[in-house]
Amino acid sequence: MKWPSHGGQPEALRESLGFPMSSDVIDFSANINPLGPPTWMKKELGKHFTELIKYPDPTYFKARKSLAFSEDLQPDQVLVTNGGAEAIFLIAKLFEGKQAIVVHPTFLEYERACFHYHLKVKDAFFSLDEEFDLPIDKMIMECKTTDVMFLCRPNNPSGTIIKEETVRRLLIEGKKHNTYIVVDEAFVDFLPGEEASLSGLLSDYENLIILRSMTKMYAIPGLRVGYILADKKIIKQAGDGQIPWSVNTLAANFIPGMVEDKLFLEKTKTWLQTELTFLREELDKLNFYMSSTHVNFYLLRDREFPMETDLLFKHLLKAGIVARHTFNFKGLDGHFLRLAVRSSHENKVLLEALKNWRAKQ
Ligand SMILES: Cc1ncc(COP(=O)(O)O)c(C=O)c1O
């Protein structure tokens, strides 16, 4: 069977499974904020329509200024990109032909971007328990022979966070060997607390490169908004490799409004904490493993039948629930499912389907 390579493709699944799926399936495979996009964005669409007859400002100054201001950085430390995906490829391009490490299981695009720019890629692996610890001693040793390390924090697909202290150890060692540490913070806005991001470390570590995506929090995968935060030399170099006007006018114009909408962030975090607490308790009662996620998705595995994830996936599909398979996440090999945290009602539908699965055993 041919599995789709990313989440959010229920149609592709339907085709490859040849499965009778009703059209009103609930898509738990894409980890997009169910509260979004913020309502003001829809209202403002018309306002920005007239701007479409102009090219975007090629320097995206207003967007960069608002992002820099919110991170306490300078605008020349920010590069606006066509989604987090473009940020990943622009960063890989900086290290063309050099040596990289990717820590698995993680987002697939680091490896793809590295291959695209002919980097040599070594694999490292998180510990496969609830916490997904980084193999820090091994990675510190590898600094000597590695030009760039890709970390995802919070990590997709587990939702777990590498401790700040651990990243700091890598940055210190990396500094000695000219090793850059890339931290993908695509999901950082979902974390509780103010100091969740590592952007405060940029002033001390020139070898830190942070990338972000606005896609997930603001539920705008079709708009394409991401950015890189780094030392200004890196930003200049990455920008030199970017296609002109890569970010469209609409996306650039929406950035300041999104950055300022703190209320939407707070509303999302409140929803998420309530749902996560509920899901954790209920899944535990049903004896399902749930990764120690801090964000809007998690890994799930049946503790009682850990080798039957395939059957569980199909059981959920029959109940109208699309999960994200994990066959193409190195180290997971299909033995887990990744599920999004969705609305209270939808999470209850999922739990009901899991209860039925348990009752059938
Ligand atoms: C960890 C991570 N980084 C980056 C991206 C890319 O985000 P975007 O849709 O903004 O390109 C994704 C998308 O799934 C992701 O999961």
Side-chain angles (χ1 to χ4, degrees):
M1 137 140 200
K2 190 172 177 305
W3 295 92
S5 52
H6 289 93
Q9 303 176 75
E11 284 304 324
L13 252 185
R14 195 198 306 260
E15 254 173 49
S16 52
L17 275 172
F19 210 78
M21 264 160 71
S22 71
S23 54
D24 55 350
V25 291
I26 311 177
D27 187 5
F28 281 78
S29 71
N31 30 26
I32 302 283
N33 184 352
L35 307 191
T39 44
W40 60 264
M41 286 183 79
K42 190 168 182 190
K43 288 193 201 131
E44 284 199 8
L45 267 180
K47 196 174 104 188
H48 293 302
F49 181 75
T50 51
E51 304 276 320
L52 297 183
I53 59 165
K54 294 186 234 159
Y55 276 90
D57 160 17
T59 71
Y60 302 103
F61 186 70
K62 276 192 195 153
R64 287 191 297 120
K65 196 171 144 209
S66 69
L67 290 164
F69 182 74
S70 80
E71 297 296 327
D72 206 12
L73 297 170
Q74 297 303 314
D76 59 6
Q77 290 179 279
V78 183
L79 180 70
V80 183
T81 60
N82 191 285
E86 189 193 26
I88 294 168
F89 275 69
L90 286 174
I91 293 168
K93 191 176 161 108
L94 296 175
F95 299 92
E96 196 150 8
K98 296 194 173 169
Q99 181 68 56
I101 288 192
V102 175
V103 194
H104 300 278
T106 197
F107 188 49
L108 309 175
E109 298 300 329
Y110 314 131
E111 200 172 57
R112 265 185 19 107
C114 287
F115 289 150
H116 186 80
Y117 288 108
H118 311 290
L119 278 81
K120 297 176 275 297
V121 185
K122 275 195 203 167
D123 292 340
F125 288 89
F126 287 109
S127 65
L128 276 197
D129 50 19
E130 268 86 349
E131 298 299 333
F132 278 67
D133 286 323
L134 196 72
I136 182 65
D137 294 335
K138 175 180 160 59
M139 293 193 64
I140 284 195
M141 293 230 314
E142 297 277 10
C143 277
K144 287 187 198 119
T145 53
T146 306
D147 300 292
V148 58
M149 295 182 170
F150 286 86
L151 306 179
C152 190
R153 181 184 189 273
N155 186 44
N156 177 3
S158 56
T160 49
I161 312 177
I162 304 163
K163 291 190 186 77
E164 177 175 334
E165 198 39 46
T166 307
V167 182
R168 202 188 278 269
R169 281 180 65 193
L170 267 185
L171 286 165
I172 293 169
E173 191 64 18
K175 236 179 176 180
K176 296 182 200 158
H177 305 285
N178 203 25
T179 308
Y180 281 80
I181 311 299
V182 177
V183 181
D184 181 344
E185 294 192 338
F187 292 94
V188 79
D189 286 335
F190 289 92
L191 293 178
E194 285 294 313
E195 59 286 77
S197 164
L198 297 183
S199 60
L201 299 181
L202 284 166
S203 54
D204 292 334
Y205 301 98
E206 286 181 9
N207 57 334
L208 172 61
I209 303 175
I210 292 177
L211 75 98
R212 298 259 183 89
S213 161
M214 298 185 108
T215 300
K216 315 297 180 169
M217 172 55 83
Y218 299 93
I220 47 165
L223 196 55
R224 316 303 303 135
V225 192
Y227 51 99
I228 303 175
L229 306 173
D231 180 73
K232 63 182 185 191
K233 289 195 294 294
I234 289 288
I235 292 296
K236 164 85 177 62
Q237 227 182 315
D240 286 347
Q242 191 174 27
I243 292 169
W245 305 292
S246 173
V247 179
N248 68 73
T249 307
L250 209 51
N253 286 355
F254 272 130
I255 289 176
M258 290 192 281
V259 171
E260 282 157 28
D261 194 351
K262 303 292 178 214
L263 205 65
F264 180 72
L265 287 193
E266 283 320 308
K267 227 170 86 180
T268 301
K269 288 181 191 193
T270 307
W271 149 77
L272 181 60
Q273 286 320 308
T274 310
E275 289 308 312
L276 272 183
T277 309
F278 171 69
L279 280 166
R280 216 169 258 131
E281 278 173 20
E282 295 301 312
L283 290 172
D284 199 47
K285 277 188 220 158
L286 289 169
N287 206 13
F288 281 93
Y289 159 95
M290 180 191 194
S291 56
S292 283
T293 183
H294 296 262
V295 289
N296 58 325
F297 55 88
Y298 54 95
L299 286 173
L300 179 97
R301 190 174 190 181
D302 188 350
R303 284 208 174 97
E304 294 178 22
F305 297 93
M307 300 313 283
E308 296 201 351
T309 308
D310 238 17
L311 292 177
L312 175 60
F313 182 91
K314 286 180 184 151
H315 167 84
L316 290 176
L317 258 188
K318 279 189 189 142
I321 288 165
V322 181
R324 168 70 161 91
H325 71 87
T326 57
F327 285 105
N328 56 352
F329 284 108
K330 279 186 188 168
L332 298 186
D333 307 319
H335 294 313
F336 296 76
L337 297 178
R338 192 193 68 196
L339 292 165
V341 180
R342 297 197 48 112
S343 70
S344 168
H345 168 70
E346 289 165 329
N347 293 331
K348 282 181 187 142
V349 173
L350 167 73
L351 287 167
E352 207 42 49
L354 291 174
K355 270 183 204 154
N356 292 341
W357 162 263
R358 188 56 80 234
K360 273 183 15 183
Q361 306 300 319

mmCIF file of all heavy atoms in Angstrom, residues 104-105 125-133 289 299 301 330-333 336:
data_model
loop_
_atom_site.group_PDB
_atom_site.id
_atom_site.type_symbol
_atom_site.label_atom_id
_atom_site.label_comp_id
_atom_site.label_asym_id
_atom_site.label_seq_id
_atom_site.Cartn_x
_atom_site.Cartn_y
_atom_site.Cartn_z
ATOM 1 N N HIS A 104 16.116 11.728 14.584
ATOM 2 C CA HIS A 104 14.832 11.089 14.260
ATOM 3 C C HIS A 104 14.191 10.485 15.506
ATOM 4 O O HIS A 104 14.891 10.206 16.448
ATOM 5 C CB HIS A 104 15.062 9.966 13.242
ATOM 6 C CG HIS A 104 15.660 10.443 11.957
ATOM 7 N ND1 HIS A 104 14.918 11.010 10.949
ATOM 8 C CD2 HIS A 104 16.960 10.441 11.528
ATOM 9 C CE1 HIS A 104 15.721 11.331 9.939
ATOM 10 N NE2 HIS A 104 16.968 10.999 10.269
ATOM 11 N N PRO A 105 12.893 10.204 15.470
ATOM 12 C CA PRO A 105 11.953 10.508 14.406
ATOM 13 C C PRO A 105 11.630 11.996 14.409
ATOM 14 O O PRO A 105 11.394 12.571 15.476
ATOM 15 C CB PRO A 105 10.709 9.683 14.776
ATOM 16 C CG PRO A 105 10.791 9.504 16.262
ATOM 17 C CD PRO A 105 12.240 9.474 16.600
ATOM 18 N N PHE A 125 19.176 9.364 16.928
ATOM 19 C CA PHE A 125 17.814 8.978 17.319
ATOM 20 C C PHE A 125 17.487 9.433 18.737
ATOM 21 O O PHE A 125 18.303 9.280 19.649
ATOM 22 C CB PHE A 125 17.633 7.456 17.223
ATOM 23 C CG PHE A 125 17.574 6.992 15.794
ATOM 24 C CD1 PHE A 125 18.739 6.657 15.114
ATOM 25 C CD2 PHE A 125 16.363 6.941 15.118
ATOM 26 C CE1 PHE A 125 18.701 6.269 13.776
ATOM 27 C CE2 PHE A 125 16.316 6.548 13.787
ATOM 28 C CZ PHE A 125 17.488 6.215 13.113
ATOM 29 N N PHE A 126 16.289 9.986 18.910
ATOM 30 C CA PHE A 126 15.772 10.263 20.254
ATOM 31 C C PHE A 126 15.523 8.927 20.947
ATOM 32 O O PHE A 126 15.278 7.912 20.280
ATOM 33 C CB PHE A 126 14.418 10.984 20.162
ATOM 34 C CG PHE A 126 14.488 12.419 19.722
ATOM 35 C CD1 PHE A 126 14.029 12.811 18.469
ATOM 36 C CD2 PHE A 126 14.980 13.392 20.590
ATOM 37 C CE1 PHE A 126 14.075 14.137 18.076
ATOM 38 C CE2 PHE A 126 15.021 14.733 20.196
ATOM 39 C CZ PHE A 126 14.571 15.102 18.942
ATOM 40 N N SER A 127 15.541 8.938 22.291
ATOM 41 C CA SER A 127 15.133 7.732 23.007
ATOM 42 C C SER A 127 13.632 7.571 22.784
ATOM 43 O O SER A 127 12.884 8.545 22.797
ATOM 44 C CB SER A 127 15.402 7.896 24.505
ATOM 45 O OG SER A 127 14.573 8.921 25.015
ATOM 46 N N LEU A 128 13.202 6.325 22.530
ATOM 47 C CA LEU A 128 11.789 6.151 22.187
ATOM 48 C C LEU A 128 10.927 5.864 23.411
ATOM 49 O O LEU A 128 10.156 4.922 23.448
ATOM 50 C CB LEU A 128 11.637 5.009 21.181
ATOM 51 C CG LEU A 128 11.844 5.358 19.709
ATOM 52 C CD1 LEU A 128 11.272 4.287 18.799
ATOM 53 C CD2 LEU A 128 11.268 6.698 19.335
ATOM 54 N N ASP A 129 11.071 6.690 24.456
ATOM 55 C CA ASP A 129 10.157 6.564 25.593
ATOM 56 C C ASP A 129 9.234 7.771 25.552
ATOM 57 O O ASP A 129 9.155 8.472 24.556
ATOM 58 C CB ASP A 129 10.945 6.479 26.897
ATOM 59 C CG ASP A 129 11.977 7.591 26.986
ATOM 60 O OD1 ASP A 129 11.820 8.586 26.249
ATOM 61 O OD2 ASP A 129 12.939 7.457 27.756
ATOM 62 N N GLU A 130 8.547 8.049 26.661
ATOM 63 C CA GLU A 130 7.606 9.181 26.638
ATOM 64 C C GLU A 130 8.307 10.511 26.376
ATOM 65 O O GLU A 130 7.792 11.396 25.741
ATOM 66 C CB GLU A 130 6.847 9.283 27.968
ATOM 67 C CG GLU A 130 5.526 8.529 28.001
ATOM 68 C CD GLU A 130 5.718 7.072 28.386
ATOM 69 O OE1 GLU A 130 6.888 6.616 28.411
ATOM 70 O OE2 GLU A 130 4.716 6.391 28.643
ATOM 71 N N GLU A 131 9.546 10.664 26.894
ATOM 72 C CA GLU A 131 10.201 11.980 26.879
ATOM 73 C C GLU A 131 10.986 12.291 25.614
ATOM 74 O O GLU A 131 11.299 13.434 25.335
ATOM 75 C CB GLU A 131 11.150 12.108 28.086
ATOM 76 C CG GLU A 131 10.463 12.030 29.442
ATOM 77 C CD GLU A 131 9.436 13.139 29.635
ATOM 78 O OE1 GLU A 131 9.579 14.208 29.018
ATOM 79 O OE2 GLU A 131 8.475 12.914 30.390
ATOM 80 N N PHE A 132 11.376 11.303 24.856
ATOM 81 C CA PHE A 132 12.182 11.513 23.644
ATOM 82 C C PHE A 132 13.446 12.332 23.948
ATOM 83 O O PHE A 132 13.621 13.448 23.446
ATOM 84 C CB PHE A 132 11.346 12.222 22.553
ATOM 85 C CG PHE A 132 10.472 11.263 21.793
ATOM 86 C CD1 PHE A 132 9.418 10.614 22.413
ATOM 87 C CD2 PHE A 132 10.709 11.003 20.452
ATOM 88 C CE1 PHE A 132 8.605 9.730 21.725
ATOM 89 C CE2 PHE A 132 9.904 10.115 19.748
ATOM 90 C CZ PHE A 132 8.856 9.485 20.389
ATOM 91 N N ASP A 133 14.319 11.777 24.777
ATOM 92 C CA ASP A 133 15.552 12.502 25.116
ATOM 93 C C ASP A 133 16.525 12.502 23.944
ATOM 94 O O ASP A 133 16.625 11.541 23.187
ATOM 95 C CB ASP A 133 16.234 11.838 26.331
ATOM 96 C CG ASP A 133 15.473 12.149 27.602
ATOM 97 O OD1 ASP A 133 14.962 13.292 27.710
ATOM 98 O OD2 ASP A 133 15.353 11.261 28.460
ATOM 99 N N TYR A 289 -0.496 4.357 25.186
ATOM 100 C CA TYR A 289 0.694 5.202 25.330
ATOM 101 C C TYR A 289 0.417 6.538 24.657
ATOM 102 O O TYR A 289 -0.147 6.589 23.553
ATOM 103 C CB TYR A 289 1.886 4.520 24.652
ATOM 104 C CG TYR A 289 3.017 5.449 24.273
ATOM 105 C CD1 TYR A 289 4.107 5.631 25.114
ATOM 106 C CD2 TYR A 289 2.985 6.149 23.063
ATOM 107 C CE1 TYR A 289 5.137 6.488 24.754
ATOM 108 C CE2 TYR A 289 4.009 7.004 22.711
ATOM 109 C CZ TYR A 289 5.076 7.175 23.563
ATOM 110 O OH TYR A 289 6.087 8.024 23.210
ATOM 111 N N LEU A 299 1.910 11.287 19.865
ATOM 112 C CA LEU A 299 2.006 9.932 19.341
ATOM 113 C C LEU A 299 1.177 9.011 20.220
ATOM 114 O O LEU A 299 1.163 9.159 21.458
ATOM 115 C CB LEU A 299 3.456 9.460 19.332
ATOM 116 C CG LEU A 299 4.343 10.068 18.250
ATOM 117 C CD1 LEU A 299 5.795 9.653 18.468
ATOM 118 C CD2 LEU A 299 3.872 9.675 16.847
ATOM 119 N N ARG A 301 -0.011 4.815 20.921
ATOM 120 C CA ARG A 301 0.216 3.390 20.635
ATOM 121 C C ARG A 301 -0.572 2.585 21.661
ATOM 122 O O ARG A 301 -0.629 2.975 22.838
ATOM 123 C CB ARG A 301 1.706 3.072 20.739
ATOM 124 C CG ARG A 301 2.070 1.682 20.239
ATOM 125 C CD ARG A 301 3.573 1.477 20.241
ATOM 126 N NE ARG A 301 3.948 0.257 19.559
ATOM 127 C CZ ARG A 301 5.181 -0.188 19.425
ATOM 128 N NH1 ARG A 301 6.193 0.528 19.908
ATOM 129 N NH2 ARG A 301 5.452 -1.309 18.814
ATOM 130 N N LYS A 330 11.571 7.796 10.548
ATOM 131 C CA LYS A 330 12.607 6.824 10.917
ATOM 132 C C LYS A 330 12.544 6.537 12.409
ATOM 133 O O LYS A 330 12.474 7.466 13.212
ATOM 134 C CB LYS A 330 13.988 7.371 10.583
ATOM 135 C CG LYS A 330 14.368 7.211 9.150
ATOM 136 C CD LYS A 330 15.811 7.639 8.924
ATOM 137 C CE LYS A 330 16.111 7.656 7.444
ATOM 138 N NZ LYS A 330 17.383 8.312 7.144
ATOM 139 N N GLY A 331 12.608 5.270 12.769
ATOM 140 C CA GLY A 331 12.595 4.895 14.179
ATOM 141 C C GLY A 331 11.196 4.510 14.653
ATOM 142 O O GLY A 331 11.051 3.785 15.624
ATOM 143 N N LEU A 332 10.167 4.998 13.993
ATOM 144 C CA LEU A 332 8.806 4.649 14.426
ATOM 145 C C LEU A 332 8.247 3.488 13.607
ATOM 146 O O LEU A 332 7.473 2.674 14.116
ATOM 147 C CB LEU A 332 7.871 5.859 14.313
ATOM 148 C CG LEU A 332 8.223 7.060 15.184
ATOM 149 C CD1 LEU A 332 7.134 8.120 15.088
ATOM 150 C CD2 LEU A 332 8.414 6.671 16.653
ATOM 151 N N ASP A 333 8.615 3.465 12.331
ATOM 152 C CA ASP A 333 8.294 2.329 11.456
ATOM 153 C C ASP A 333 6.828 1.900 11.489
ATOM 154 O O ASP A 333 6.521 0.709 11.438
ATOM 155 C CB ASP A 333 9.207 1.133 11.801
ATOM 156 C CG ASP A 333 10.673 1.556 11.768
ATOM 157 O OD1 ASP A 333 11.025 2.315 10.858
ATOM 158 O OD2 ASP A 333 11.439 1.169 12.679
ATOM 159 N N PHE A 336 3.418 3.577 15.638
ATOM 160 C CA PHE A 336 2.679 4.605 16.378
ATOM 161 C C PHE A 336 1.731 5.310 15.403
ATOM 162 O O PHE A 336 1.919 5.239 14.191
ATOM 163 C CB PHE A 336 3.641 5.668 16.947
ATOM 164 C CG PHE A 336 4.614 5.158 17.967
ATOM 165 C CD1 PHE A 336 5.728 4.414 17.575
ATOM 166 C CD2 PHE A 336 4.431 5.431 19.322
ATOM 167 C CE1 PHE A 336 6.638 3.954 18.509
ATOM 168 C CE2 PHE A 336 5.339 4.973 20.261
ATOM 169 C CZ PHE A 336 6.451 4.226 19.859
#
